[in-house]
Amino acid sequence: DVKVTQSSRYLVKRTGEKVFLECVQDMDHENMFWYRQDPGLGLRLIYFSYDVKMKEKGDIPEGYSVSREKKERFSLILESASTNQTSMYLCASSLASGINLDTGELFFGEGSRLTVL
Amino acid sequence: AQSVSQHNHHVILSEAASLELGCNYSYGGTVNLFWYVQYPGQHLQLLLKYFSGDPLVKGIKGFEAEFIKSKFSFNLRKPSVQWSDTAEYFCAVNPSWHNAGNMLTFGGGTRLMVKP
């Protein structure tokens, strides 16, 4: 079974703090993603990475950065947390794209619920 | 940019009732379509997907979805729901040509509550 592990299930931070959300997957997937989930808005893509040290902006990258130094680990960084970043953050991974590899399935972690006060 | 609309935000059904959740997308080209489910306290998991071929797709737990290209729709159905189907359901789309990491666009989700 694919396992995507997010290091923190619940975090409470103060405005202006730097926040790190860590995600590790154990299936040697090339692609990794960070989404935020908000009621009524579904999942919105923040950043994704298709290889080590590679990153691409998603739909809502403002206020976030990412790091992928190792294939299995993808970190989301909030340089200066703000209250509008209070949300559920979901990490996901998938196999590389390509006709024979791409099943189209994302494997999600259990989420990190961040509250910024 | 493509978008995905799920018109029902909250659905409440009794057990054994039939279910249909609407999903419409706005993209003119060929697409891959997905339904994900999130049970309370659990991570999102794939329910079913459509890439090509038979537009009626069967997934896990008795769910199915029908792709109607002319209507840009991919509605999820189940003939008889169970209490254990209580969850949030997300429709998702990505263009078939897109080969940079399965960039899915998700709908806003539908919360289904099944009364025992």
Side-chain angles (χ1 to χ4, degrees):
Chain A
D1 271 358
V2 176
K3 194 165 176 68
V4 179
T5 304
Q6 294 182 230
S7 55
S8 305
R9 291 294 303 277
Y10 301 94
L11 301 96
V12 179
K13 298 291 182 180
R14 296 202 176 275
T15 301
E17 280 192 80
K18 192 168 185 176
V19 182
F20 291 89
L21 299 179
E22 303 284 341
C23 174
V24 177
Q25 51 94 2
D26 66 358
M27 281 300 292
D28 204 34
H29 283 172
E30 287 77 9
N31 303 325
M32 296 189 75
F33 307 80
W34 276 106
Y35 287 88
R36 63 177 282 177
Q37 181 181 8
D38 299 289
L41 298 178
L43 280 71
R44 292 177 292 167
L45 182 64
I46 304 171
Y47 268 96
F48 72 98
S49 167
Y50 53 88
D51 202 352
V52 175
K53 296 192 186 295
M54 305 300 291
K55 60 185 180 184
E56 295 285 343
K57 293 180 180 179
D59 298 320
I60 52 164
E62 296 78 18
Y64 303 94
S65 62
V66 290
S67 172
R68 188 146 182 223
E69 296 296 318
K70 293 185 178 181
K71 190 176 185 180
E72 67 271 17
R73 188 180 296 270
F74 192 36
S75 302
L76 180 69
I77 303 153
L78 288 66
E79 293 289 341
S80 178
S82 62
T83 54
N84 63 11
Q85 292 178 310
T86 292
S87 186
M88 172 70 86
Y89 290 88
L90 298 178
C91 176
S93 71
S94 72
L95 285 168
S97 302
I99 293 173
N100 294 322
L101 296 177
D102 189 352
T103 68
E105 182 172 1
L106 294 182
F107 295 86
F108 285 88
E110 293 191 339
S112 299
R113 184 169 293 283
L114 171 66
T115 300
V116 182
L117 302 175
Chain B
Q2 63 209 36
S3 65
V4 180
S5 297
Q6 293 180 242
H7 307 294
N8 314 104
H9 297 295
H10 291 91
V11 173
I12 302 173
L13 295 172
S14 297
E15 275 195 315
S18 64
L19 170 72
E20 181 159 2
L21 301 182
C23 173
N24 287 89
Y25 63 92
S26 65
Y27 179 73
T30 307
V31 293
N32 301 322
L33 299 151
F34 307 82
W35 277 97
Y36 281 82
V37 60
Q38 186 174 32
Y39 297 103
Q42 296 187 25
H43 59 86
L44 274 105
Q45 55 188 289
L46 183 69
L47 203 53
L48 49 78
K49 62 189 176 189
Y50 171 80
F51 281 6
S52 63
D54 189 343
L56 185 61
V57 179
K58 295 194 183 298
I60 60 172
K61 304 188 180 185
F63 285 91
E64 64 179 32
E66 185 175 12
F67 170 49
I68 303 179
K69 189 175 180 180
S70 60
K71 295 185 178 181
F72 299 90
S73 70
F74 190 55
N75 293 353
L76 181 70
R77 299 195 294 247
K78 186 170 183 178
S80 175
V81 295
Q82 299 172 309
W83 177 78
S84 57
D85 293 324
T86 294
E88 190 160 14
Y89 294 81
F90 294 92
C91 182
V93 172
N94 78 335
S96 296
W97 54 265
H98 204 295
N99 58 8
N102 301 340
M103 280 188 63
L104 299 186
T105 298
F106 283 83
T110 298
R111 289 199 173 188
L112 171 66
M113 178 184 292
V114 180
K115 298 184 293 184

